[in-house]
């Protein structure tokens, strides 16, 4: 092997090793969160492989970050997992779902969590960490707004899923379902990460990135649904393939939306080059990951 080729190979693989070491540290932190809040994370579906995949995803999406810088992204992603499991699999009434969402929104705004509620206790830990960052006093309201948007989307999907089990239910259209993609949680994670890492300068700066993130999130919703269809059928969850569109149409829609994302991201690249790269890597990594598996362990 030519010396230059060998040097390039060593440099490339060393960088991959560094990213994996960041992911390993992230996974250990997530294992600590699971140990602290055991009622939130039944195994399955939250097993060690899922925690590893989650930590690897953030490490490869933002390879310029340290383990400390990725802590908020990892923890918010894990919290979304807990919230999703609670609403999708444990709550049995609209009243209970609404009460859970209201409690989370109140804690995000500064209220103390209930002593017997690990979901809001974990959220309070995330909130308190973010509150120490320079941007949170100015941008924290956007973090709260996006959490509310995400949870409202979860409530809407909970109702759709409940209606699906009724004999006279009318399911949402595929377009309405996709417009509710905030329930996936990616934009809330992104806002949390950008605030935690001091990655934006102004509210307008963050708002422009969030607008692009909304479109990215729709692509993630589609590729997730393609990967999880069989699981969703068994679990009684809603999936876009249940709403009158076939796999080919969904794949084409994902491609079209990805093109739309690029149109939104291109003008932002000069002002926010790293954040634009981050969103592009979210698209690429997630599409590649869901091509072979998804995050949840089989139940």
């Amino acid at each position: 092997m030519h010396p230059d080729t060998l040097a390039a190979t060593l440099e490339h693989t060393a960088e991959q090793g560094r990213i994996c070491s960041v992911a390993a540290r992230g996974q250990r932190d997530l294992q600590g969160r699971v140990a602290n809040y055991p009622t939130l994370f039944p195994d399955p579906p939250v097993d060690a492989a899922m925690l590893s995949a989650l930590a690897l995803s953030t490490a490869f999406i933002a390879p310029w970050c340290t383990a400390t810088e990725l802590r908020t992204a990892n923890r918010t992603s894990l919290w979304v997992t807990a919230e999703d499991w609670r609403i999708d699999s444990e709550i049995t009434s609209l009243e209970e779902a609404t009460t859970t969402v209201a409690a989370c929104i109140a804690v995000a705004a500064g209220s103390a969590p209930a002593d017997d509620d690990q979901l809001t206790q974990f959220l309070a830990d995330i909130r308190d960490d973010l509150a120490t960052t320079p941007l949170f006093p100015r941008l924290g309201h956007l973090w709260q707004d996006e959490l509310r948007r995400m949870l409202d989307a979860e409530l809407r999907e909970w109702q759709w899923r409940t209606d699906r089990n009724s004999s006279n239910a009318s399911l949402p259209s595929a377009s309405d379902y996709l417009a509710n993609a905030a329930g996936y949680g990616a934009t809330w994670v992104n806002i949390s990460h950008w605030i935690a890492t001091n990655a934006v300068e102004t509210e307008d700066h963050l708002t422009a990135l969030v607008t692009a993130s909304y479109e990215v999130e729709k692509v993630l919703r589609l590729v997730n649904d393609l990967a999880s269809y069989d699981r969703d059928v068994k679990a009684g969850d809603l999936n876009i393939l249940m709403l009158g569109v076939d796999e080919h149409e969904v794949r084409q829609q994902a491609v079209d939306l990805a093109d739309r994302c690029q149109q939104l991201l291109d003008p932002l690249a000069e002002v926010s080059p790293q954040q634009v790269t981050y969103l592009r890597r979210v698209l690429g990594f997630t599409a590649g990951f869901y091509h072979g598996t998804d995050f949840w362990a089989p139940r």
Side-chain angles (χ1 to χ4, degrees):
M1 182 179 289
H2 190 279
D4 290 345
T5 302
L6 175 60
T9 299
L10 290 174
E11 181 179 2
H12 180 65
T13 52
E15 174 63 5
Q16 291 178 326
R18 186 197 64 79
I19 294 170
C20 288
S21 74
V22 168
R25 291 179 61 189
Q27 181 181 354
R28 292 189 182 107
D29 180 72
L30 293 177
Q31 288 169 334
R33 297 302 90 199
V34 170
N36 282 356
Y37 303 108
T39 65
L40 299 182
F41 304 108
D43 178 5
V46 182
D47 60 359
M50 180 185 184
L51 299 180
S52 174
L54 194 160
L56 281 166
S57 70
T58 57
F60 275 96
I61 286 167
W64 50 83
C65 286
T66 66
T68 299
E69 289 169 332
L70 289 175
R71 185 177 67 185
T72 295
N74 285 334
R75 290 184 178 185
T76 49
S77 295
L78 186 63
W79 189 86
V80 170
T81 297
E83 166 271 318
D84 186 58
W85 177 259
R86 171 75 63 85
I87 292 179
D88 280 3
S89 302
E90 295 182 340
I91 285 175
T92 58
S93 71
L94 180 59
E95 180 182 5
E96 186 182 2
T98 302
T99 299
T100 297
V101 166
C104 291
I105 291 171
V107 166
S111 296
D115 291 340
D116 60 349
D117 184 5
Q118 292 191 359
L119 185 65
T120 53
Q121 289 168 10
F122 187 9
L123 179 61
D125 284 347
I126 293 169
R127 176 203 67 198
D128 291 347
D129 273 352
L130 280 173
T132 67
T133 64
L135 291 178
F136 195 75
R138 288 189 288 115
L139 302 180
H141 67 100
L142 296 178
W143 179 79
Q144 294 176 39
D145 289 346
E146 186 57 31
L147 177 69
R148 183 181 294 105
R149 181 173 177 268
M150 180 185 80
L151 293 174
D152 284 347
E154 285 274 24
L155 275 179
R156 194 171 296 114
E157 187 165 340
W158 186 93
Q159 189 64 64
W160 286 339
R161 191 166 56 250
T162 302
D163 290 345
R164 181 171 175 262
N165 296 322
S166 303
S167 58
N168 59 348
S170 58
L171 291 177
S173 66
S175 59
D176 285 344
Y177 173 81
L178 189 58
N180 201 52
Y184 185 84
T187 296
W188 185 66
V189 172
N190 293 343
I191 291 173
S192 303
H193 173 67
W194 289 327
I195 291 175
T197 56
N198 204 33
V200 293
E201 296 178 359
T202 66
E203 184 170 330
D204 287 345
H205 187 187
L206 180 57
T207 299
L209 289 169
V210 167
T211 298
S213 180
Y214 289 159
E215 297 304 306
V216 170
E217 194 162 35
K218 292 177 184 178
V219 180
L220 305 189
R221 175 78 279 168
L222 293 177
V223 297
N224 173 270
D225 278 15
L226 289 170
S228 64
Y229 175 72
D230 290 340
R231 187 195 73 206
D232 291 339
V233 169
K234 293 176 183 177
D237 289 341
L238 203 58
N239 186 296
I240 197 167
L241 292 173
M242 302 170 185
L243 302 177
V245 292
D246 61 26
E247 186 173 332
H248 173 76
E249 291 175 284
V250 174
R251 291 188 184 280
Q252 185 58 54
Q253 191 170 14
V255 170
D256 293 342
L257 280 170
D259 288 343
R260 165 66 176 159
C261 291
Q262 298 306 332
Q263 294 171 12
L264 289 171
L265 289 170
D266 284 344
L268 298 174
E270 185 174 344
V271 176
S272 308
Q274 193 171 82
Q275 286 67 55
V276 166
T277 298
Y278 171 91
L279 287 172
R280 286 174 172 157
R281 290 179 70 88
V282 167
L283 278 171
F285 182 93
T286 307
F289 181 86
Y290 280 127
H291 183 73
T293 187
D294 69 2
F295 287 94
W296 296 94
R299 300 182 217 176

